[in-house]
Amino acid sequence: MLFTAKVCACPHSSALNLCATVGTSWSSSIWRGAHSTVAHRHALHHGRTIAGHQSMPHKHITDCQRRVVHRHAMATQNSSTASHKTEQKSHDSVASPQSSQQPRATHVKLQSAITAAKFSDWGIYNYKAVVAYDGTAYKGFQLQRGERNTVPTVQGVLERALCQIRQESRETLRMQSSGRTDAGVHAKGQVINFYSHKLVPDCTTMMHSLTRMLPDDVSVRSMQRVPPDFHARFTAMSKVYHYHLTVAAKVDPFTRWYSGRVQSPVDLSLMRQAADLFIGQHDFTHFANLGNPDPNPVKTIRRFDILPNEHGFVFQVEGNGFLYKMVRHMVGALLAVGAGNLLPDVIAHKLALGKTQLPGEKYRGWSIAVAQGLFLMDVKYPVHDDPGVLCHPDIEHDCFGRPLVGSITGEE
């Protein structure tokens, strides 16, 4: 797909400065001339026109774009008037009378591969890593405010190691994850992405260096450079969770931190019948905790399988998104059905209700499954092997090619 890019050519810069927000269509312009710095900044802030030069719309200007154009204005304000007139005369000789009344512009159509490569010229590089961890000792993945070493999080240990290896701050890294697993939940395929000012020619070496810096219950399984607008959460197409359940009268000391447990046998055929009700697009308000409401409770479950094993069962679910503790609620409801304490029709009724009637704090007919049996197994993405090809060419980006989250989620 071809689209245009707005570029600012600065004679004092060695790189081609991309200073406009990416959209479905970009206008392109080269700003030259000796504008007053104060007046130029005023025009940028208010989206106005100065001396016949059209500034960018206010809503599309980011702070880094203002800094770029401000630096350009400072660099060019001492240019001689004669030089400016000579350059303008040369331009007018090849321009039509109508175009001479418009800002001087060079319209260049770029493929997304070239555009992403130009974003990288700014010196911001995006890296994706697949992480595995035993969540037993952690208070979930997400960094907690006022986190102490006595109650660590997975993000906390990853960021500390990366800051030391890359010699960069948390603000530079801007780490994102595919999902915020709860305390005690494990992962074999958690995905993160982070930024760096330094280009790493060999991601395998950085992966091994990072793993050596991490505790034994956290490991990096793979690492690669990705496009600047790759986002571990919002670029994902689907996530796969597994829930391990042991059916045993006594606790097994070797599996107790990695499996839920029921003491009595459950009916597999009834659970499978009820699991089929979850497949498809539904409002899962009644299958989530209310403490962290999602503005969009409608999710799509693509498959829900229940497979027997030597210890009990493995619940395998794949969906395009999950609400807070949604998988554990669904497993808890299925266990209640398997034990004969809940009819499958109740699940269908709850799905039909959705957010038209909130569940409240009362008992819903099942107990939520314990955290230690849940594993984030895999996160699936579109093909993004070429770091020079944008993942989301039709959304707004900042001047480094990073996605503006509001535009990628549709939120204001």
Side-chain angles (χ1 to χ4, degrees):
M1 179 179 66
L2 297 179
F3 53 92
T4 60
K6 182 180 291 182
V7 297
C8 286
C10 177
H12 299 275
S13 174
S14 61
L16 181 64
N17 298 330
L18 296 175
C19 71
T21 300
V22 179
T24 53
S25 64
W26 292 352
S27 62
S28 60
S29 61
I30 298 178
W31 293 347
R32 300 185 188 272
H35 297 307
S36 167
T37 302
V38 175
H40 202 106
R41 293 178 64 187
H42 182 76
L44 284 174
H45 181 71
H46 295 284
R48 297 176 180 171
T49 301
I50 291 183
H53 291 258
Q54 180 67 40
S55 65
M56 290 181 291
H58 170 67
K59 66 178 181 179
H60 293 305
I61 299 176
T62 63
D63 291 338
C64 55
Q65 293 165 11
R66 291 193 181 95
R67 289 195 295 271
V68 169
V69 180
H70 174 59
R71 288 198 300 267
H72 175 64
M74 291 290 292
T76 58
Q77 65 180 349
N78 294 324
S79 300
S80 67
T81 305
S83 175
H84 177 66
K85 288 182 177 180
T86 301
E87 189 175 6
Q88 183 65 43
K89 181 179 180 181
S90 175
H91 174 267
D92 291 341
S93 64
V94 296
S96 64
Q98 181 180 2
S99 64
S100 64
Q101 303 301 319
Q102 300 298 325
R104 298 173 56 249
T106 299
H107 294 272
V108 183
K109 286 191 175 182
L110 301 175
Q111 293 183 356
S112 58
I114 301 175
T115 304
K118 289 301 180 183
F119 275 133
S120 296
D121 287 345
W122 281 78
I124 287 288
Y125 305 98
N126 194 10
Y127 297 93
K128 167 193 172 186
V130 179
V131 182
Y133 50 86
D134 178 347
T136 303
Y138 296 95
K139 194 176 180 180
F141 179 89
Q142 188 179 24
L143 192 71
Q144 303 291 322
R145 180 176 296 181
E147 177 181 331
R148 300 177 183 273
N149 291 331
T150 54
V151 189
T153 63
V154 180
Q155 182 179 356
V157 299
L158 284 169
E159 285 187 344
R160 281 191 289 272
L162 278 170
C163 288
Q164 185 170 350
I165 291 173
R166 307 304 299 155
Q167 292 296 297
E168 293 175 300
S169 67
R170 287 188 60 244
E171 290 72 22
T172 298
L173 295 177
R174 295 177 63 165
M175 181 184 293
Q176 303 290 341
S177 68
S178 64
R180 299 169 291 183
T181 54
D182 295 328
V185 175
H186 316 290
K188 292 186 177 181
Q190 173 71 281
V191 176
I192 64 170
N193 74 283
F194 62 92
Y195 294 93
S196 175
H197 288 294
K198 304 171 185 177
L199 177 62
V200 179
D202 185 3
C203 289
T204 301
T205 300
M206 182 167 68
M207 176 187 72
H208 292 314
S209 299
L210 178 58
T211 298
R212 284 194 294 269
M213 295 286 295
L214 295 170
D216 292 339
D217 50 8
V218 181
S219 176
V220 181
R221 303 179 65 182
S222 67
M223 184 176 291
Q224 68 181 101
R225 186 180 160 207
V226 289
D229 62 347
F230 174 89
H231 192 290
R233 178 182 175 190
F234 298 119
T235 305
M237 297 188 302
S238 67
K239 289 188 278 189
V240 179
Y241 283 95
H242 286 185
Y243 191 92
H244 293 260
L245 180 75
T246 298
V247 181
K250 296 182 179 179
V251 176
D252 184 344
F254 299 105
T255 63
R256 67 191 182 104
W257 295 118
Y258 310 102
S259 176
R261 182 177 71 93
V262 293
Q263 300 184 36
S264 304
V266 289
D267 191 319
L268 176 59
S269 61
L270 278 178
M271 289 194 299
R272 284 176 169 169
Q273 177 186 344
D276 288 341
L277 298 173
F278 290 122
I279 298 175
Q281 187 178 76
H282 304 284
D283 184 330
F284 286 91
T285 297
H286 285 261
F287 296 89
N289 272 29
L290 298 179
N292 189 16
D294 192 306
N296 180 22
V298 177
K299 307 297 178 184
T300 300
I301 299 299
R302 297 179 178 176
R303 65 182 180 91
F304 204 138
D305 302 319
I306 307 175
L307 306 178
N309 61 19
E310 59 179 325
H311 301 292
F313 304 99
V314 178
F315 298 77
Q316 301 180 355
V317 57
E318 178 179 355
N320 69 340
F322 296 89
L323 304 179
Y324 184 44
K325 299 185 178 180
M326 175 175 154
V327 176
R328 292 166 57 193
H329 270 283
M330 291 192 295
V331 171
L334 293 178
L335 290 177
V337 170
N341 299 325
L342 187 71
L343 294 175
D345 291 345
V346 175
I347 293 179
H349 177 65
K350 298 287 188 181
L351 291 172
L353 282 177
K355 62 182 179 181
T356 60
Q357 179 181 332
L358 297 179
E361 299 298 332
K362 63 181 181 180
Y363 180 66
R364 305 181 193 184
W366 62 84
S367 298
I368 185 171
V370 295
Q372 59 262 33
L374 186 60
F375 290 74
L376 174 57
M377 297 298 294
D378 189 22
V379 185
K380 299 181 179 181
Y381 296 92
V383 176
H384 54 272
D385 294 333
D386 187 348
V389 178
L390 292 172
C391 293
H392 309 280
D394 296 331
I395 68 165
E396 294 181 355
H397 301 68
D398 69 9
C399 60
F400 295 110
R402 297 174 297 198
L404 300 179
V405 175
S407 65
I408 200 171
T409 61
E411 299 172 1
E412 295 296 334

